[in-house]
Amino acid sequence: MPEGVTGIIVAGGLSRRFGSDKASASLRGRPLLQWVRDALAPVVDEMVVVTAAGQTLPPMHPAMPVIVVEDREPERGPLAGLVAGFTAAASPVCFAASCDAPLLRTAVVERVTGGLGSHDAILPEVGGFQQPLAAAYRREPCLAAAEASLAAGGNKVIEAFAELDVLALAEDRLARVDPDLRSFRNANTPDELAAIATLLDAPAPSAPTQPRRKRSRPRGKSRRRH
């Protein structure tokens, strides 16, 4: 994209089902937060990590500058986390991700941000549901809409942006760069994290190839003899 992009990682969830801090949970010796950070790094110009009050982030290697901000309304869900991230971001476009999606692919981030165009937001649609924490947003209109929704008592991300120009990105577009859509697998529980770990042992399927079109000779034209 010609515009700057801020990567926002929402890491301050309550983790009730997981039972401990998901950002620090280990997958193959790396914290989940680092897996997501590494996927975003090639695409974004800066990184914002949204934490809960008092949350300590795990050490990440190699070290990389990040802006750390606190979610001051932890009971309000991801919408409040997005507000904190949008407020800290310096770029006109933000890509928001959750810290519990360690198999997020850089190619998916590129596909989503690259498709934003003039829209206010672009949300992947996987399994019949839009994915607000694997999405790209225009900072100014989305921050205004999210703040207004929070002020009115709303907590749901999709509803907050209902009046904006939001583009849904279909599965078939995403499958071209992530055939089994593993970017959208979340480790909400320890069992789900174990299932994600098993995917690392199996090679990811290849992206589907597009059939080559046969070139046909234009009709209605005859060869001119000289």
Side-chain angles (χ1 to χ4, degrees):
M1 292 183 64
E3 303 169 279
V5 180
T6 295
I8 298 174
I9 305 177
V10 179
L14 297 177
S15 302
R16 289 193 179 101
R17 286 189 288 166
F18 198 84
S20 61
D21 178 21
K22 287 191 286 186
S24 298
S26 180
L27 175 64
R28 298 294 170 85
R30 286 192 289 165
L32 296 188
L33 179 62
Q34 179 164 353
W35 285 82
V36 180
R37 185 207 70 173
D38 291 350
L40 292 176
V43 181
V44 304
D45 300 285
E46 65 171 1
M47 198 90 67
V48 174
V49 178
V50 183
T51 69
Q55 180 181 2
T56 300
L57 295 179
M60 293 180 283
H61 306 284
M64 176 181 175
V66 297
I67 301 166
V68 180
V69 296
E70 287 188 357
D71 176 358
R72 300 188 179 278
E73 299 186 71
E75 299 292 336
R76 306 295 296 275
L79 183 61
L82 287 177
V83 167
F86 291 155
T87 301
S91 305
V93 173
C94 299
F95 183 93
S98 172
C99 72
D100 64 355
L103 302 188
L104 176 66
R105 286 187 167 186
T106 299
V108 167
V109 180
E110 291 174 326
R111 173 60 58 91
V112 174
T113 54
L116 182 60
S118 61
H119 302 285
D120 294 320
I122 178 169
L123 274 64
E125 191 168 277
V126 177
F129 296 95
Q130 290 185 329
Q131 309 291 321
L133 289 184
Y137 301 91
R138 292 205 170 275
R139 177 187 174 276
E140 290 188 5
C142 290
L143 174 58
E147 288 181 325
S149 182
L150 284 178
N155 292 333
K156 297 182 178 180
V157 177
I158 304 299
E159 293 179 2
F161 303 135
E163 299 301 318
L164 299 183
D165 177 11
V166 177
L167 177 68
L169 189 61
E171 279 189 16
D172 61 338
R173 298 281 305 279
L174 297 161
R176 296 174 190 175
V177 293
D178 187 2
D180 60 358
L181 301 175
R182 60 178 59 187
S183 294
F184 304 94
R185 293 284 297 267
N186 295 94
N188 292 309
T189 67
D191 286 343
E192 289 177 344
L193 178 57
I196 285 173
T198 63
L199 291 176
L200 297 176
D201 296 323
S206 301
T209 57
Q210 299 295 320
R212 296 182 63 182
R213 295 182 178 179
K214 294 182 179 180
R215 299 182 63 182
S216 57
R217 182 180 299 171
R219 295 182 178 179
K221 293 184 179 181
S222 58
R223 295 180 179 178
R224 179 179 297 177
R225 295 182 179 178
H226 295 280

